Amino acid sequence: MGSVFPGLRCAPPGAAIWRPLRGLGRGLGALAVCPSYVPVTKLVQTLLDGLAVGGLYALIALGYTMVYGILKFINFAHSDIFVLGAWISWVFAVRVLGVPDSAGATAPGWTGPLVFLVAMTACGTAGFLIERFAYKPLRNAPRLNVLITAIGVSLLLQNTGQLRVFFGPYPKSMPLLVPDVTLGYLAGVRVPLVDVIVLGTVVVLMLGLEGLIFRTKLGRGMRAVSFNTSLAALMGVNVSAVISFTFVLGSALAAAAGFLFVMKYPAGLKQPADTSWMMLGLKAFVAAVVGGIGNVRGAMLGGMLIGLLEFFGVAYFEPLYRDVYVFSLLILVLLFRPTGLLGRATVEKV
Amino acid sequence: MALLEIRDLDVHYGAIHALQGIALTVAAGQIVTLIGANGAGKSTTLRTISGLRRPTAGTLVFDGQSLVGKPPHEIVRLGIAHAPEGRGIFANFTVAENLEIGAYARHDKAGIAADRERVLTLFPRLRERLQQSAATLSGGEQQMLAIARAVLARPRLLLLDEPSLGLAPQVVQTIFQIIREINAAGTTILLVEQNAHMALQTAHYGYVLEVGRIVMHAPANELERSDEVRRAYLGVA
């Protein structure tokens, strides 16, 4: 079991105080001893979790899809930027701001937004540097060379992250930067502040990205480069700058996902080379492909779909097949709609 | 006065010597045409001027400034717009968006709006289709869009690559009429064509390119009368 999600939350009606379960074993254990479900409660709970995690998949998928749209290659190091975002959040909160990471400790309200911005900035910079030094020199090289380089960058990030001077080889527990407050109950389901923050941030970031890509001049330049690089250059678009910006943007979104992930799952902060990260990154990649790789709206849709499918599968069928649902969807999409749900077949013009 | 001055230009594609010592002058205010068969190097010449290709030797001077080594987006800002071969419109954009991206390098909002109005008057068909996806346009309309978009960059030198390619004769007449109008409004044009007849009737001066070399150049009406050109390019025995 590679998953780091603490399983479905059981919320029997009338349970006034219910602390979120952290840790997979406890999560699944609780599932087994759950009292009888009220169907609506179970539905709402699954929907809430599926949307939140789906939103995180979508944020990561956007980076895959934007880079593919512009450079036509899969940036395999992208999921490691997500990991970097999660770990930088921890380092900045615990080591720099001195927030205690012991259970039950709380932090002042401003730390959350600050850590969020620092993680996004740091990862944006990392994305810029990776593009500048690893991919840009290969701009005119065959695609395979860039792909192999991306795998190399991914391994480099994972393994240097394990060094003690960086994050170290052990999992850590993320301090609660968002107070563990209950906002209310929805059909008997506890709605914690953190879930609202995760979903709200995802929605705001997506709307912002949508506006940037479809309503600004820079976004028009990005779409032009994605359609045809040399044609965009003839229009006066600075192609190199657009590519750099795309990496910065994608990396910052992955960092946001990393931060939100450890906010929702403080026990999910495994060591950088842990395989649970790879599974999350892989599912986000699946989300990009399912939505139609290269298509921004497709990545958003794909992420949400994958998240919902995963949580509904776990809640209503068999929790052990969590990964099976996701990859079965990938196989189905590749068989019956290989361009993805929102992707269009490209017509080779003569 | 020469707006564009090309001297001893060499371009290679790997081992292929595509342009071999090209010399070409485009005088300000004129329409200059570059005619020749398929593969002669006409498009390569344009691509080198707009910075998509790096020359291996030679000089390109536009209005006193060297173009060698400058990236395409800077060359656009110097005042050269290139409507590439095969129309090259953004099929994922609407017609309106295609026009807007033509003015990407500009910041004068009022000027852009005025030029947009001007090209829509030149091409009324585009005005009817502004919100349509550019992919739904006919071949002739796509060519009109490509030219209109290049004009929106407000270039001093407009590079047109095969504007008549694949178009019905009636549409070709319209396109060339508009090319004359754009030139009359003050834009210098370098026109690459396989349709030598139309090109020489429209241009002031002409160059004949054969496998990477300029073999003849003269005022367009003289070229049109020359026996060699008539035999090789105008289909007259």
Side-chain angles (χ1 to χ4, degrees):
Chain A
M1 276 298 295
S3 176
V4 293
F5 297 132
L8 181 77
R9 290 173 190 178
C10 153
I17 300 164
W18 181 87
R19 301 202 54 84
L21 296 169
R22 305 206 174 83
L24 177 70
R26 276 201 294 159
L28 290 177
L31 194 65
V33 298
C34 248
S36 61
Y37 279 118
V38 173
V40 182
T41 305
K42 184 177 176 182
L43 184 76
V44 170
Q45 182 68 71
T46 312
L47 208 59
L48 199 65
D49 283 332
L51 283 177
V53 173
L56 300 184
Y57 286 149
L59 285 184
I60 307 169
L62 285 168
Y64 278 116
T65 223
M66 285 194 297
V67 166
Y68 183 86
I70 282 185
L71 290 177
K72 304 287 177 281
F73 95 99
I74 305 296
N75 179 16
F76 277 111
H78 185 62
S79 69
D80 301 292
I81 298 289
F82 160 68
V83 182
L84 188 67
W87 271 97
I88 284 178
S89 302
W90 184 86
V91 166
F92 188 73
V94 174
R95 293 275 152 80
V96 180
L97 297 180
V99 179
D101 59 348
S102 53
T106 50
W110 51 266
T111 45
L114 181 65
V115 171
F116 177 71
L117 290 178
V118 165
M120 283 180 82
T121 312
C123 286
T125 312
F128 174 82
L129 294 174
I130 289 170
E131 194 275 329
R132 175 67 190 74
F133 293 105
Y135 304 143
K136 197 176 180 182
L138 299 172
R139 194 63 58 73
N140 297 314
R143 288 280 167 272
L144 194 59
N145 300 18
V146 194
L147 206 68
I148 294 167
T149 305
I151 295 171
V153 171
S154 169
L155 290 173
L156 181 80
L157 288 175
Q158 281 176 23
N159 291 292
T160 48
Q162 299 261 101
L163 295 176
R164 282 174 197 283
V165 287
F166 294 107
F167 310 126
Y170 304 110
K172 292 272 180 356
S173 181
M174 188 69 195
L176 295 180
L177 300 182
V178 176
D180 187 15
V181 187
T182 303
L183 290 181
Y185 290 84
L186 199 67
V189 177
R190 193 184 88 101
V191 181
L193 176 63
V194 66
D195 278 14
V196 174
I197 287 182
V198 168
L199 263 174
T201 312
V202 167
V203 168
V204 166
L205 287 175
M206 281 186 182
L207 288 178
L209 184 72
E210 176 91 7
L212 173 73
I213 290 181
F214 292 98
R215 309 224 185 287
T216 69
K217 190 167 170 176
L218 183 62
R220 189 176 297 129
M222 289 171 72
R223 287 188 294 142
V225 173
S226 149
F227 181 75
N228 183 327
T229 309
S230 48
L231 194 57
L234 288 183
M235 300 300 115
V237 179
N238 185 342
V239 174
S240 285
V242 164
I243 291 173
S244 287
F245 179 74
T246 305
F247 270 86
V248 170
L249 194 61
S251 303
L253 290 175
F259 170 84
L260 294 172
F261 175 73
V262 289
M263 284 299 100
K264 188 163 165 61
Y265 301 108
L269 192 65
K270 306 290 186 205
Q271 61 273 34
D274 190 79
T275 47
S276 65
W277 293 117
M278 208 185 73
M279 188 53 84
L280 290 173
L282 212 52
K283 284 179 186 167
F285 173 62
V286 169
V289 174
V290 164
I293 189 101
N295 186 314
V296 169
R297 287 170 183 164
M300 298 181 188
L301 178 73
M304 290 296 182
L305 215 57
I306 295 278
L308 288 172
L309 178 73
E310 183 177 339
F311 277 80
F312 271 92
V314 167
Y316 287 87
F317 296 100
E318 169 59 60
L320 286 173
Y321 293 161
R322 177 188 285 279
D323 302 337
V324 175
Y325 308 124
V326 174
F327 294 107
S328 304
L329 179 65
L330 175 67
I331 293 170
L332 287 178
V333 166
L334 289 180
L335 277 178
F336 297 108
R337 210 180 148 79
T339 53
L341 296 176
L342 297 187
R344 263 184 236 139
T346 37
V347 183
E348 290 291 328
K349 264 166 279 170
V350 189
Chain B
M1 198 200 96
L3 185 61
L4 179 72
E5 186 89 53
I6 299 178
R7 290 270 166 271
D8 308 317
L9 186 70
D10 274 27
V11 174
H12 289 80
Y13 288 96
I16 297 161
H17 200 169
L19 296 183
Q20 306 172 21
I22 299 274
L24 190 153
T25 302
V26 179
Q30 290 202 333
I31 299 178
V32 174
T33 187
L34 190 58
I35 59 173
N38 238 339
K42 307 185 299 288
S43 295
T44 302
T45 307
L46 294 193
R47 291 170 67 82
T48 310
I49 296 170
S50 55
L52 291 176
R53 273 269 141 207
R54 292 242 163 149
T56 34
T59 57
L60 295 112
V61 177
F62 176 72
D63 196 22
Q65 290 192 65
S66 171
L67 299 181
V68 178
K70 283 202 167 63
H73 67 268
E74 282 180 23
I75 290 176
V76 173
R77 282 167 177 79
L78 290 178
I80 299 180
H82 180 174
E85 189 180 22
R87 293 150 206 158
I89 52 143
F90 292 96
N92 56 338
F93 283 14
T94 63
V95 171
E97 284 179 315
N98 264 283
L99 292 176
E100 281 165 40
I101 201 157
Y104 194 87
R106 296 171 63 181
H107 299 285
D108 55 324
K109 274 196 172 165
I112 294 171
D115 283 350
R116 187 172 184 273
E117 204 41 47
R118 195 180 125 222
V119 296
L120 289 178
T121 312
L122 279 177
F123 301 101
R125 293 271 274 290
L126 295 182
R127 193 191 294 275
E128 295 162 24
R129 287 163 173 65
L130 274 177
Q131 297 313 319
Q132 247 171 270
S133 158
T136 64
L137 298 184
S138 71
E141 289 164 349
Q142 291 191 3
Q143 187 60 63
M144 292 175 190
L145 179 57
I147 295 174
R149 189 185 57 191
V151 169
L152 269 170
R154 187 175 274 185
R156 281 182 291 159
L157 175 63
L158 177 59
L159 311 177
L160 296 176
D161 198 349
E162 303 269 8
S164 76
L165 190 75
L167 300 185
Q170 198 74 49
V171 183
V172 173
Q173 292 291 340
T174 313
I175 297 271
F176 273 86
Q177 182 52 42
I178 287 166
I179 291 174
R180 281 188 209 102
E181 284 175 33
I182 292 169
N183 174 248
T187 306
T188 308
I189 295 173
L190 177 56
L191 170 70
V192 154
E193 259 302 339
Q194 280 203 60
N195 185 340
H197 182 70
M198 282 305 296
L200 291 175
Q201 282 203 335
T202 309
H204 302 97
Y205 201 87
Y207 288 80
V208 181
L209 196 59
E210 265 175 25
V211 280
R213 292 174 199 277
I214 301 276
V215 290
M216 277 176 90
H217 62 96
N221 51 6
E222 281 177 36
L223 275 184
E224 218 182 346
R225 285 196 302 269
S226 105
D227 288 341
E228 277 173 71
V229 172
R230 283 163 67 94
R231 230 187 341 267
Y233 301 104
L234 299 176
V236 182

